[in-house]
């Protein structure tokens, strides 16, 4: 059974100063097999434009913080920007520090993101997950998301392939 965090913590909107910790957590996932489709380590400079596109009033980045340190983060991003018929649908991406996984941080971030998305007027949210990333799939199912699609064998990790699954939810 997972040991859950019961420390003073908060989920808040990320600020530019959080970017080094966000990038560090993302890079942890890149170094692990089949946790993200990214294969090259990122720098803070690489993510500045991405961060600036995530305006808090429309597409926020949320962070889970304990003891002044970011333990996980989640971004809410547009799906197929410019396609007006898809304007009420958003993609979420989430990453948890490898030393703090299986402690409820991912669940807390996803649940908060659903509240934020609903309050912002979005009707659907989904995550795109590598089909070999069973912990993230279990997290999505735990949070009430269902599998909407499977794209088999589309990700190629230098000769090792896997698919992607879309897990989504319609926000009430």
């Amino acid at each position: 059974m997972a040991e859950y965090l019961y420390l003073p913590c908060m989920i808040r909107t990320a600020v530019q100063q959080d970017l080094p910790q966000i990038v560090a957590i993302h890079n942890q996932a890149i170094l692990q097999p089949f946790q993200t489709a990214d294969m090259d380590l990122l720098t803070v400079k690489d993510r500045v434009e991405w961060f600036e596109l995530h305006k808090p009033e429309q597409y926020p980045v949320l962070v889970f913080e304990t003891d002044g340190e970011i333990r996980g983060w989640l971004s809410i991003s547009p799906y197929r920007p410019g396609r007006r018929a898809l304007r009420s649908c958003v993609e979420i991406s989430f990453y948890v520090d490898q030393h703090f996984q299986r402690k409820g941080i991912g669940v807390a971030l996803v649940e908060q993101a659903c509240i934020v998305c609903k309050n912002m007027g979005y009707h659907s949210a989904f995550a795109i997950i590598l089909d070999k990333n069973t912990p993230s799939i279990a997290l999505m199912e735990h949070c009430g998301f269902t599998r909407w699609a499977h794209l088999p064998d589309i990700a190629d990790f230098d000769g090792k392939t896997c698919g992607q699954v879309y897990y989504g939810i319609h926000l009430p």
Side-chain angles (χ1 to χ4, degrees), residues 17-129:
Q17 292 82 353
D18 298 326
L19 204 46
Q21 289 182 76
I22 289 169
V23 169
I25 292 169
H26 194 133
N27 281 339
Q28 289 176 353
I30 292 169
L31 293 172
Q32 299 301 312
F34 305 110
Q35 286 192 4
T36 178
D38 290 316
M39 294 175 61
D40 300 314
L41 293 176
L42 302 170
T43 66
V44 172
K45 184 178 177 185
D46 294 334
R47 296 304 272 179
V48 169
E49 183 178 346
W50 166 87
F51 187 81
E52 290 173 351
L53 291 173
H54 283 81
K55 304 287 184 211
E57 64 279 359
Q58 189 174 21
Y59 300 112
V61 175
L62 305 176
V63 294
F64 185 105
E65 182 179 60
T66 60
D67 299 325
E69 297 291 326
I70 303 220
R71 307 301 186 194
W73 63 272
L74 179 146
S75 61
I76 299 170
S77 303
Y79 177 63
R80 311 276 319 256
R83 308 251 171 128
R84 205 163 52 90
L86 300 171
R87 69 189 174 279
S88 67
C89 183
V90 291
E91 178 186 352
I92 62 171
S93 301
F94 55 92
Y95 295 86
V96 176
D97 183 302
Q98 65 188 5
H99 301 103
F100 290 87
Q101 293 176 354
R102 302 192 57 81
K103 296 184 183 299
I105 294 171
V107 169
L109 283 165
V110 170
E111 288 176 349
Q112 184 64 33
C114 287
I115 293 167
V116 168
C117 288
K118 181 181 175 188
N119 290 342
M120 294 179 110
Y122 297 119
H123 298 145
S124 301
F126 66 90
I128 304 170
I129 303 167

Side-chain angles (χ1 to χ4, degrees), residues 148-159:
W148 285 356
H150 181 231
L151 308 175
D153 298 322
I154 65 164
D156 179 356
F157 292 90
D158 298 325

